[in-house]
Amino acid sequence: MNDETLRRLLEDIAAGDVTPEDAERQLRFPFETIGEDGKTPFARLDHHRELRRGFPEVVLAEGKTAEQVVEIVRALRETAGQTLVTRADPETARAVREAVPDAVWHAEARAVVVSRTAPAPTGARIGVVSAGTSDIPVAEEAALTAELMGAEVRRTFDIGVAGIQRLLTEASRFRSLHAMVVVAGMEAALAPVVAGLAPCPIIAVPTSTGYGASWGGLTALLSLLNSCAPGVTVVNIDNGFGGGYAAALAVAHFRRLESGGEPPSDD
């Protein structure tokens, strides 16, 4: 449930189209149980996450059947401004698009998006950079997530430290950014180097790109956790969504406070 949905509910109460009892039920039970009749429900959807966090629940397609993803998307899109499905394979994406005609498949990010409303711009400028071309799918997942959260995203790909002159020619552009998501595999050296050049916080995303001793990204993860460069925060291996979400949320929240907005009261 976003602000628009809440406002519409209040208007329906005022117009007499929704009884106070029905409205109370919607507000008191902010989740919806999804599942086939007579079987154990497979999902409990958090419809109030957008009110609490500023962005609705996101669907991880990995590990779910295409049919399950379709049912979840259909339910979420009724209340969410943006419905994002991550780690979607082409078969799942095709099933969602057939069931929900306004769904858009972002092949490079491996994501499906259903937008009921345009993302509200937050004024956040987020840089998303990748060390190599092989890291672009994870970087695109981060960039798409940040864009759906209202950020302006500036992409810079294939500037890894093996050819560091490529990075140095771009470094002056980093100074205007509020935060950066740096995506790299192998030994993940790019994020600490960027942290030595850019004045903003760095969200590092290690990827599983690399040969045998990379251990599916574990080498990159441990390298980043042991970085000597301050201001680098690390998310899990291949978690472009988590990197983009963290960067966009942090900047948007700060800018909201800066403009005179207040965080939710503890009372």
Side-chain angles (χ1 to χ4, degrees), residues 5-234:
T5 305
L6 179 60
R7 190 177 304 111
R8 187 163 59 246
L9 175 61
L10 295 174
E11 290 172 351
D12 288 343
I13 297 170
D17 296 330
V18 173
T19 66
E21 292 76 18
D22 286 340
E24 181 185 16
R25 191 175 303 108
Q26 290 185 49
L27 295 173
R28 178 177 293 179
F29 301 104
F31 65 89
E32 178 182 357
T33 301
I34 303 293
E36 298 178 7
D37 293 341
K39 294 186 178 181
T40 302
F42 60 79
R44 300 175 192 274
L45 309 184
D46 180 1
H47 286 295
H48 280 201
R49 192 171 303 185
E50 192 166 4
L51 284 175
R52 298 194 316 271
R53 300 283 293 160
F55 196 70
E57 182 173 5
V58 173
V59 185
L60 174 65
E62 222 169 46
K64 298 180 178 69
T65 67
E67 292 75 18
Q68 288 172 334
V69 173
V70 166
E71 285 198 52
I72 292 170
V73 169
R74 279 175 168 163
L76 284 175
R77 72 187 292 272
E78 294 302 316
T79 59
Q82 310 293 326
T83 302
L84 171 61
V85 181
T86 62
R87 298 296 180 87
D89 58 31
E91 179 185 348
T92 298
R94 190 179 307 111
V96 174
R97 292 179 64 193
E98 288 175 356
V100 183
D102 51 343
V104 178
W105 165 231
H106 297 263
E108 204 158 31
R110 300 169 296 183
V112 180
V113 175
V114 181
S115 296
R116 294 178 63 249
T117 59
T122 63
R125 292 190 301 275
I126 307 294
V128 176
V129 305
S130 80
T133 303
S134 298
D135 302 312
I136 288 178
V138 177
E140 278 293 346
E141 183 180 79
L144 178 63
T145 300
E147 286 173 336
L148 292 174
M149 296 179 71
E152 173 192 343
V153 174
R154 301 181 183 179
R155 294 165 170 81
T156 310
F157 295 156
D158 195 27
I159 57 169
V161 298
I164 200 166
Q165 69 279 4
R166 300 173 299 179
L167 168 61
L168 297 178
T169 60
E170 299 287 341
S172 61
R173 300 174 58 191
F174 299 161
R175 303 194 64 83
S176 64
L177 300 172
H178 295 116
M180 294 184 67
V181 181
V182 181
V183 182
M186 302 288 190
E187 83 288 17
L190 181 61
V193 175
V194 170
L197 298 170
C200 59
I202 306 297
I203 310 295
V205 185
T207 74
S208 52
T209 301
Y211 295 100
S214 68
W215 299 111
L218 182 59
T219 298
L221 174 63
L222 294 177
S223 175
L224 290 168
L225 290 174
N226 286 283
S227 170
C228 68
V232 177
T233 300
V234 187

